[in-house]
Amino acid sequence: AVPFLKLHQTSNRLREESENIAEHAEVTGRFVPYETLKLIGVSDIAELELGQSVLKRLTIMFGDIVSFTLLSSKLTPDDVFRYINFWLQGLIPIIQEKNGVIDKFLGDGILAFFAGAEDAVEAGIAIFEWAADANRARKLTGGYPLNFGLGLNSGDVCLGTIGNMDRMDTLTISQAVTVANLIESKTRIYKSD
């Protein structure tokens, strides 16, 4: 009876450890997308090394809320985060449904990438359709409208890790990223947000 009891206890500990590992992997994926890890060439975040990088042809989506600094000065801290999270909760599923990867949250902005330009364009159109519906509902409740710009650009992009051994982050950097950011910034001039 004693060996069976020990076997049962060991089995329970292994199951608990397995559940902890799965939970850790899920939480890690919230901070560093597995798609980014795969593109860099690793299957687990523990395999990432400082300076590890890869060059890929991608389409970049850069999004930013128009006049957010002015708007945020009129809101409470809680309302600032509610507003940003409402916007992001609308964008993120659309980007993911169109095979996009969220690379970074940039305050009131977002940086995502897509393997194909067509997916990025479809995501952009769907985001503006979602925003039009959301703004109709927000108008009825007296909420501030969602005004934002999106910039898309395709090109060779370097994905890699930066920082030091105590604090690392993944980074998407290239002229293609800079141009997507510039295109997004021009949406204010041409009122195309």
Side-chain angles (χ1 to χ4, degrees), residues 66-85:
V66 174
S67 301
F68 185 73
T69 303
L70 178 63
L71 175 62
S72 66
S73 69
K74 301 174 186 178
L75 302 173
T76 67
D78 285 346
D79 287 340
V80 166
F81 282 91
R82 266 193 283 282
Y83 185 91
I84 290 173
N85 284 320

Side-chain angles (χ1 to χ4, degrees), residues 10-123:
T10 301
S11 174
N12 284 341
R13 278 195 309 267
L14 286 173
R15 185 174 31 260
E16 287 173 13
E17 284 299 316
S18 177
E19 289 170 1
N20 287 341
I21 290 169
E23 184 178 326
H24 176 75
E26 181 182 330
V27 170
T28 299
R30 292 181 194 163
F31 293 94
V32 179
Y34 289 110
E35 296 86 349
T36 301
L37 295 177
K38 284 185 229 169
L39 285 171
I40 292 174
V42 298
S43 59
D44 187 287
I45 196 166
E47 298 172 21
L48 272 179
E49 295 179 19
L50 186 62
Q52 199 167 356
S53 64
V54 65
L55 188 67
K56 295 285 184 184
R57 183 149 187 85
L58 299 170
T59 298
I60 301 298
M61 174 184 280
F62 196 95
D64 192 63
I65 298 173
V66 174
S67 301
F68 185 73
T69 303
L70 178 63
L71 175 62
S72 66
S73 69
K74 301 174 186 178
L75 302 173
T76 67
D78 285 346
D79 287 340
V80 166
F81 282 91
R82 266 193 283 282
Y83 185 91
I84 290 173
N85 284 320
F86 179 81
W87 182 61
L88 292 174
Q89 288 170 9
L91 269 66
I92 292 168
I94 295 169
I95 290 168
Q96 291 172 331
E97 286 169 15
K98 300 297 181 182
N99 304 308
V101 177
I102 309 300
D103 184 54
K104 291 280 179 278
F105 298 116
L106 307 164
D108 64 311
I110 191 168
L111 178 64
F113 58 81
F114 299 78
E118 188 174 323
D119 286 340
V121 171
E122 289 176 5

